[in-house]
Amino acid sequence: MTQASTIEAESGTAPEPVTSRGEAPGTVVIDTVTKRYGDSTAVDGLSLTIEAGEFISLLGPSGCGKTTTLRMIAGFEEPDAGDIRVSGRSLLGVPPYRRDVNTVFQAYALFPHMSVAENVAYGLQQKRTPKSEIRDRVVDALDLAQMRGFADRKPTQLSGGQQQRVALARALVNRPSVLLLDEPLGALDRQLREEMQLELKLLQSRLGITFVFVTHDQGEALSMSDRIAIMRSGRIEQLADADTVYARPASAYVAAFVGQQNFFRGAVAERGAAVDSAHALVRGASPALQEGTAGLAAVRPEFVSIDADASADASGAVNTARGTLIGVSHLGETMQYLVRLGDDQSLIARRPSPEAPQLAVGDAVVCSWRAESVLLFPADDAASAGGYVAPPTA
């Protein structure tokens, strides 16, 4: 359902027409925006168009500019340069309470002395909305958040997940064109966080409202987003759907931040199709680098096979590396193996539990993987790569 059809269904009126700028209701345009704090640049000439009804995540480590970007859309910060538009309207100089957006924070900020229904109704009361309309809209919002049965409870009588739903209902009751979510699941335990991820995505699909979600958790971004903007130093390193970001990262920075990687550093060989590292000649499926330069090869743990060295026949494998098994971890559906290749590097392999080999710490092992599973990057990205390269071992 699109946002326009949602508005029509809820209000019984025709949807708002596309603006003169050609930007549909709920579209967010960030146009070459810069934000500085003293000598530090938090957001650096950022441009991004978020389509109406899209679920987009701003993903990156602390200090990359994602929360500052969200706060500028919300109106809690003003850009030093550039423009921000929602539904074709520039927000420069517009106070937060006059913007057609609502924000849900990690800290729920519920009024402890008010009931759930009173918390949800508070914003409408401040706008002097008629009481009959407040009552109907609060019921609708609580239904959306599956919290109507808790309407008379106080926040202290609710679990963390229930409080999060109340915070969502409080934001949705205003029927904003854009909902901003600033790491709203960060305070929840893992199981509840995963449940809320599913609920958020289902809710957004049902409403058709534009969701802008800020997180440093790659799992959250991958599981919910239509597109993901990977941010680095106030800029977007890559903007794409989850499949593209995971399988075809634009840089070593993205490859390292999304998922986990085994990185091999060395000289580019075989006409640009391989990296000759200290522990393995790592071949890719096609030339990607300039031979003789410094390169970086990456392979994800789930693509690495592992067997006991004595019994393994890896002679036909395109890529192999031998080492000593120094750790085995049961991850439920997968088994994880940590292999020491040398004093300066280790490698991670993950295999589905039903087919995982029976190996013990101290075993000599051989790891292998296909050339199609290898990503090749120039070495100038290596300094920012956060993939798995173990520290020196004794």
Side-chain angles (χ1 to χ4, degrees), residues 255 261-264 282 296-300 369 373-377:
Q261 297 279 2
N262 295 295
F263 282 103
F264 296 86
V282 184
L296 186 69
V299 59
R300 295 198 182 277
W369 56 94
S373 302
V374 175
L375 300 169
L376 299 174
F377 302 101

Side-chain angles (χ1 to χ4, degrees), residues 1-336:
M1 180 184 292
T2 65
Q3 183 196 357
S5 62
T6 301
I7 295 173
E8 186 173 10
E10 290 184 346
S11 64
T13 61
E16 183 180 347
V18 173
T19 67
S20 59
R21 292 178 180 269
E23 297 166 9
T27 302
V28 180
V29 177
I30 302 170
D31 186 4
T32 56
V33 165
T34 295
K35 179 63 179 178
R36 301 182 183 88
Y37 297 100
D39 295 333
S40 176
T41 301
V43 176
D44 189 6
L46 179 68
S47 291
L48 172 65
T49 297
I50 303 169
E51 302 296 338
E54 184 175 23
F55 193 129
I56 193 166
S57 289
L58 307 182
L59 175 66
S62 297
C64 70
K66 59 187 187 295
T67 296
T68 301
T69 300
L70 195 81
R71 288 178 60 83
M72 287 191 288
I73 300 173
F76 303 131
E77 302 282 355
E78 282 290 324
D80 295 313
D83 190 20
I84 297 175
R85 299 191 299 276
V86 170
S87 305
R89 178 194 180 196
S90 175
L91 298 183
L92 296 183
V94 178
Y97 59 88
R98 289 189 176 173
R99 300 185 181 207
D100 192 17
V101 303
N102 271 95
T103 308
V104 179
F105 298 99
Q106 180 176 340
Y108 313 132
L110 302 177
F111 296 113
H113 62 287
M114 293 183 180
S115 68
V116 166
E118 290 169 340
N119 267 280
V120 175
Y122 181 78
L124 296 178
Q125 292 170 342
Q126 297 304 302
K127 295 179 179 179
R128 302 185 184 278
T129 304
K131 289 184 179 180
S132 59
E133 183 179 347
I134 290 177
R135 182 174 58 253
D136 292 341
R137 288 172 64 172
V138 168
V139 169
D140 289 344
L142 289 176
D143 280 342
L144 286 171
Q146 302 177 37
M147 288 297 292
R148 192 202 279 204
F150 300 85
D152 295 327
R153 293 195 187 182
K154 297 294 178 62
T156 54
Q157 297 173 302
L158 304 177
S159 69
Q162 290 167 339
Q163 291 183 49
Q164 180 63 80
R165 289 187 181 94
V166 175
L168 280 169
R170 184 178 56 187
L172 293 170
V173 77
N174 293 304
R175 298 174 182 170
S177 295
V178 180
L179 187 63
L180 309 175
L181 302 106
D182 188 6
E183 305 202 47
L185 310 182
L188 305 180
D189 61 55
R190 178 179 176 181
Q191 182 175 352
L192 185 55
R193 187 166 63 246
E194 291 174 352
E195 292 174 0
M196 286 298 298
Q197 290 171 18
L198 294 174
E199 291 185 17
L200 270 177
K201 182 56 181 176
L202 289 172
L203 181 63
Q204 190 269 341
S205 298
R206 177 182 174 186
L207 294 176
I209 293 175
T210 307
F211 273 33
V212 184
F213 189 91
V214 162
T215 181
H216 64 275
D217 186 316
Q218 54 180 288
E220 289 182 354
L222 291 170
S223 65
M224 295 188 289
S225 311
D226 297 319
R227 289 190 299 165
I228 303 171
I230 311 293
M231 295 192 65
R232 174 188 185 185
S233 301
R235 298 181 179 182
I236 294 176
E237 187 85 356
Q238 184 172 7
L239 175 64
D241 60 80
D243 287 340
T244 301
V245 166
Y246 191 86
R248 296 185 298 279
S251 66
Y253 175 86
V254 176
F257 195 81
V258 179
Q260 198 166 23
Q261 297 279 2
N262 295 295
F263 282 103
F264 296 86
R265 296 174 172 85
V268 177
E270 298 190 356
R271 289 174 292 187
V275 169
D276 190 6
S277 76
H279 305 288
L281 177 62
V282 184
R283 298 180 175 90
S286 60
L289 303 173
Q290 182 178 351
E291 186 167 10
T293 62
L296 186 69
V299 59
R300 295 198 182 277
E302 60 265 32
F303 297 141
V304 179
S305 296
I306 183 171
D307 288 289
D309 199 357
S311 61
D313 180 14
S315 58
V318 174
N319 292 301
T320 61
R322 285 177 162 80
T324 302
L325 186 63
I326 59 174
V328 181
S329 302
H330 201 301
L331 304 181
E333 68 275 12
T334 61
M335 294 292 293
Q336 178 172 284

